[in-house]
Amino acid sequence: MPSSANYPFLCACLASLALTACGGGIEGVRARAPADLQCDAGAIAVRPASPSGPPAGPFYAEGCDQLWRYVSPPRGKTEGSDVKAIITRQASFDLSCSVDQIEFTALNADTFGVKGCDKQASYLLVCPVGGCKAVQNTQSQ
């Protein structure tokens, strides 16, 4: 019988195995991202949105000029949102500028900057259950 001092370690190991075996967590994102980003798996970088985030995410997958945000619960379906499309579509409206003229930059975990048509703004990506939306974080300048 293992000592009680080993239980936290055993629980962490079992949780890690469950995430991998059930396709959740970062491995679930790595499995799904190539299809969503239409990009070779070797060209995609996957990272937690926050260094101290939960094992189910959120995660960001970036590659081939695409950026997606994922949540991947241990026994649930990996869900993703096209961050760049969400932000640039909202910025196009707010800045009165066509999507192809919008320059997109990641500022930090869930904050993004855009420039276009001699204006700029920043946006927060807000992702309640059911999908993500862009919320302007500054006045358009």
Side-chain angles (χ1 to χ4, degrees):
M1 176 112 189
S3 73
S4 61
N6 290 331
Y7 285 130
F9 174 75
L10 291 172
C11 290
C13 288
L14 289 173
S16 176
L17 286 172
L19 285 173
T20 303
C22 297
I26 201 164
E27 293 307 320
V29 174
R30 286 189 177 119
R32 175 152 174 196
D36 289 338
L37 279 69
Q38 299 178 6
C39 191
D40 182 63
I44 298 173
V46 178
R47 63 176 171 78
S50 168
S52 61
F59 299 98
Y60 281 104
E62 186 170 14
C64 300
D65 201 32
Q66 298 283 319
L67 177 65
W68 281 60
R69 183 181 191 273
Y70 290 92
V71 175
S72 188
R75 284 183 271 282
K77 183 178 177 189
T78 299
E79 299 287 337
S81 298
D82 185 343
V83 174
K84 193 171 182 182
I86 292 166
I87 300 291
T88 57
R89 187 172 41 246
Q90 185 64 49
S92 174
F93 176 81
D94 293 342
L95 303 180
S96 300
C97 191
S98 68
V99 171
D100 61 337
Q101 293 179 297
I102 301 289
E103 295 176 33
F104 174 90
T105 305
L107 300 176
N108 63 42
D110 288 320
T111 307
F112 303 90
V114 295
K115 291 182 182 181
C117 300
D118 297 321
K119 299 175 191 167
Q120 66 181 17
S122 66
Y123 291 86
L124 294 173
L125 186 69
V126 179
C127 300
V129 174
C132 294
K133 63 183 176 179
V135 176
Q136 195 172 33
N137 195 32
T138 60
Q139 293 289 341
S140 302
Q141 301 174 1

